[in-house]
Structure formats: C-alpha cells, structure tokens
Amino acid sequence: MPTTSPLVWEATIALIIGLLVFDYFFHVRKAHAPTLREATIWSALYVGIALLFGVAVWTWGGADMGAEYFSGYITEKALSIDNVFVFLVIMSSFKVPREDQQKVLLFGITFALIARTVFILLGAALIEHFSWVFYLFGLVLLVTAGNLLAPDDHDDDKPNIVVRLVRKMFHSSPHYDGDKLFTTYQGRRALTPMLLVMLAIGGTDILFAFDSIPAIFGLTQNIFIVFTATAFSLLGLRQLYFLIGGLLERLVYLSIGLAAVLGFIGVKLVLHALHENNLPFINDGEPVPVIEIGTWTSLVVIVAILLVTVVASLTSPKGKAKVAVSALRQEIADYLLLSPDSAPAARRGAFDDLRASQARVDALEPRFKAMVKRPDVLQHDLRRAHEAHAAATGTPLRSSRLDLPPTPEDDGDGDSGH
C-alpha cells in the first residue's frame, strides 16, 4: 500500500476546507430554505465529488485501497443518514425556522469534522501502541448494534445534557432573534435558541463519533482513508437533510440494517484482535488462529445489507404508511405557510392536496394508525389548516378530524397542549 505523501494530504485537506468555506460564503450567509431542486443538485454534486475521489484513490493506491475507501465511505454515509433522524428531532424540538436550519447544520458538520479528526488521531495512536484496542472497538460496535435494535423510548422534546447545563449556567432567551447567537432578554444579554440548538447538534455529534470512528477503523487502519471517508461522508449532509428529511421515515428498517452493519464490523474487529492477540489471559498471550474477513468481503457484505434494508423498507406496508403520515404533515405545513394574498387557485390546490393526504391517512389500517407519533399535535395542526381555509374562502368548515387513537393527554378535540 503506497505511503500518502504530505503533498497529497495538503491537497486533500485544502479541498475539504474549500468545500466548507464555499458552503459558508455562498449558501448560508443569506438565510433561506433550499428548494427540492437546489438540494438535489448539491447533494448529487457532493456525492459525485466523493465518488470521484474514491476513483482517484483506487487508481493511485490500488484496488484494495480503493475498496477500503468505498467500504468506509458507504458505512459512514449510512451512519450519517441515521444522524439526520436525530437532527430532525433536534430541529423540531427547538422549533428552528426552516430558513435558518442550513446554518445550524453547517455548524454541526464543521464541529463533527473537527471532533472526528481528534477521535481519529486518538484512535490511530491507541492502535499503534495497544493492539488490544481492537477488542474495545469491537465491543463498542456490538453494544451499539444491540442498542439500535432496542425500542426507541427517548423523549423527543427533552433537550440533551449539554443544553440543560448551559441553560442552568447562562441566561437564555426563549425566542429567536433572526440567526443571532446573542440577544437582549429581560434587560440582560442572553443566549438565543440558535446558539442552544448549535450546542445540541455539536454535543450529539460527539456521541455519533463513538460508533462512527470504531466502525471505520474496523474496515481500514490507513489514516488517510479513515479521514477522507469520514470527511466526505459528512460533506453534503446539509443538502441531504433538506432532500430526504421528509422521506427518512420511509426507511423503517434502517436501524436494523445499521445494526447488522455495525455488528458485522464488530465481529470483524474482534476476529482481527484475536489474530493480533497479545493479552496474556487469552491463549497465553499468543495470536489465536481465526479466520479474518478481507476488505472485499466487507465491501460486498455492507453493500448487500444496505440494499436489502432499502428495498425492504420501500416495499413494506409500514413504510408506505409512514410516508402517508409524513406527506400529510408536510401538506398541512405548506398550507399554513400560505400568505393571506395567495391566489385562490393556489390555495384551492394546496387544500385539495391536503384533503387527499388526509384521506390516505384515514384509509390506513388501525395497526398503522396506532403507530402515529404525537397524534394530538397532528389533529391540532390539521384543524388549524381547515379553519384557515374556511376563513380565507368563506366556505363551511369541513371535517378536520382524523380517525386516530387519542394520546392519554388528548382532551378529545385534538387541541391539547396548545
């Protein structure tokens, strides 16, 4: 395997920093919500750059090095897509204005690059001096895989520990002031929710690194490949958020697929640790003659698992049901964003789309309706949209009630908690 020259390192780092600077100066300086077309074009561009870089690695470093890069990139990209789920929760809980979400995400990506670079350097140092660290990395991935299979019972509205500590230590405002990080509240300088949500994203990124970095080290110990595969998987995550944020719920088996990938890499790491063993209490400190999983096998297995995950998710009734609910939420949001002077035809078309989505949700089987999260909020927002339409058009208020099981807090009219 060829040694990576300082010039190659410098050119690669310059490329990554250049892409980040381009994003800061040309995309997020002016707050706006990207259109679907914009998000699609830029997502394709970033993926294309990552793939072209992989082709260059393959050409320069050989097939094995290229396979290591693509294995690492695909794994890290899949993990970053899973991260978007958490970003969606954080953005929702902080009620970040859609036009300001790009800046929050770009901060998160920059912080993640810095944090993971530190983790990569620490991991490389540990591996160089302590071969037993592969046991630790393997155990981390196996535990993470098990956690992914466990029921998700976290509270989406509960801020993480970083935000809770900051709110206790510093004066903060409950209201946004554009995209400012500080404002004046109750006569004093205060932190805005924009700064708090950035801290939440940053703190979450650190947690992500605990499974991301062991996973990539389980596929290659080449620091250049580890760094570049991680960096290129993060670049473009901002555009990916706006491109597939509303469709992520369709990937209902993503957690299972990621658990299988991380479990596979965890086993691979443990086998490698046994092969390199020097712990005195295992086989008297001698290497254990076990089978090792090669780079090409890893690439094929990872791609196969993710393909099965995507196909199973897209064809499952559960996935289609989640898409129906997500579409209704989006149609409601789109209608409520209409200005009072919107053209009657545009208003009528938006309301017809909303009614069609409402009908699709009402037609779902009871078992899928019981899975809808926060049905009280959905009922409340749907009623608001119907009332807004009736007021704007002078038409009678139509049925705005979904046939969904109520939450324990629901008071019967879908308006609880608002």
Side-chain angles (χ1 to χ4, degrees):
M1 185 177 293
T3 302
T4 307
S5 69
L7 180 62
V8 173
W9 269 106
E10 290 166 6
T12 302
I13 292 172
L15 171 62
I16 292 168
I17 293 176
L19 290 171
L20 277 175
V21 170
F22 180 82
D23 259 357
Y24 271 106
F25 281 92
F26 293 96
H27 282 149
V28 303
R29 287 186 69 185
K30 182 179 180 181
H32 74 286
T35 63
L36 181 62
R37 181 175 181 273
E38 179 185 343
T40 301
I41 291 172
W42 285 105
S43 292
L45 179 63
Y46 276 99
V47 171
I49 291 172
L51 295 179
L52 285 175
F53 186 86
V55 171
V57 169
W58 194 300
T59 303
W60 163 70
D64 286 343
M65 194 170 175
E68 287 182 356
Y69 170 83
F70 282 112
S71 297
Y73 174 73
I74 292 169
T75 299
E76 294 296 308
K77 198 68 176 177
L79 289 170
S80 71
I81 290 174
D82 188 50
N83 296 352
V84 173
F85 277 110
V86 182
F87 291 162
L88 284 167
V89 170
I90 293 174
M91 295 287 192
S92 175
S93 65
F94 278 90
K95 298 179 174 59
V96 181
R98 189 167 174 81
E99 61 271 15
D100 293 323
Q101 291 180 2
Q102 287 200 93
K103 184 167 289 187
V104 175
L105 289 167
L106 194 52
F107 166 82
I109 291 168
T110 305
F111 185 89
L113 273 171
I114 296 171
R116 294 189 193 192
T117 299
V118 172
F119 274 97
I120 288 169
L121 294 175
L122 288 174
L126 286 171
I127 288 171
E128 184 176 353
H129 293 92
F130 308 104
S131 61
W132 54 260
V133 79
F134 286 111
Y135 286 114
L136 179 60
F137 283 178
L139 179 61
V140 167
L141 293 185
L142 291 173
V143 170
T144 303
N147 289 336
L148 284 172
L149 297 175
D152 182 9
D153 57 356
H154 69 275
D155 184 353
D156 291 354
D157 295 325
K158 185 177 182 180
N160 67 20
I161 188 171
V162 175
V163 174
R164 295 201 300 273
L165 287 174
V166 170
R167 280 178 170 165
K168 283 185 177 181
M169 296 171 60
F170 300 98
H171 183 54
S172 61
S173 165
H175 308 296
Y176 286 91
D177 186 4
D179 60 0
K180 294 179 181 177
L181 303 183
F182 299 92
T183 188
T184 301
Y185 177 64
Q186 295 178 338
R188 297 163 54 196
R189 188 167 176 79
L191 311 180
T192 67
M194 179 62 71
L195 179 56
L196 295 177
V197 71
M198 285 184 174
L199 290 173
I201 293 283
T204 304
D205 278 328
I206 292 177
L207 296 179
F208 289 154
F210 280 103
D211 55 54
S212 170
I213 299 308
I216 186 72
F217 271 117
L219 297 169
T220 177
Q221 284 82 61
N222 185 316
I223 302 303
F224 181 74
I225 298 300
V226 171
F227 174 74
T228 54
T230 301
F232 282 112
S233 71
L234 290 171
L235 292 173
L237 189 59
R238 175 182 62 82
Q239 294 85 351
L240 190 67
Y241 173 91
F242 290 98
L243 177 63
I244 66 173
L247 299 177
L248 277 175
E249 287 191 351
R250 181 69 180 267
L251 299 177
V252 291
Y253 299 123
L254 181 61
S255 292
I256 297 175
L258 289 177
V261 169
L262 293 180
F264 167 76
I265 299 174
V267 170
K268 183 178 186 292
L269 275 169
V270 171
L271 290 174
H272 181 72
L274 290 170
H275 192 268
E276 303 289 329
N277 179 64
N278 58 13
L279 293 178
F281 53 86
I282 297 178
N283 198 36
D284 295 325
E286 296 296 322
V288 181
V290 294
I291 187 173
E292 283 217 77
I293 301 172
T295 300
W296 285 96
T297 302
S298 298
L299 178 59
V300 171
V301 170
I302 290 167
V303 171
I305 290 173
L306 293 177
L307 278 177
V308 170
T309 299
V310 171
V311 171
S313 295
L314 295 179
T315 56
S316 75
K318 180 180 176 182
K320 293 177 182 177
K322 284 203 166 190
V323 168
V325 176
S326 295
L328 176 57
R329 293 187 195 273
Q330 188 60 53
E331 299 292 354
I332 292 171
D334 289 345
Y335 189 86
L336 291 174
L337 286 173
L338 290 175
S339 63
D341 56 350
S342 295
R347 182 174 294 278
R348 186 168 54 252
F351 190 70
D352 287 344
D353 290 340
L354 185 155
R355 291 283 294 172
S357 293
Q358 181 180 345
R360 283 192 289 272
V361 172
D362 266 330
L364 294 176
E365 297 178 31
R367 62 190 175 112
F368 296 133
K369 290 179 179 179
M371 295 167 55
V372 175
K373 293 183 177 180
R374 300 301 301 273
D376 55 331
V377 175
L378 181 58
Q379 299 277 23
H380 170 77
D381 291 343
L382 179 61
R383 183 171 181 82
R384 283 178 56 214
H386 276 267
E387 289 173 346
H389 184 74
T393 60
T395 56
L397 182 64
R398 299 189 184 185
S399 172
S400 61
R401 184 76 184 172
L402 287 165
D403 182 22
L404 296 176
T407 59
E409 299 85 4
D410 197 348
D411 61 9
D413 61 4
D415 293 349
S416 67
H418 300 279

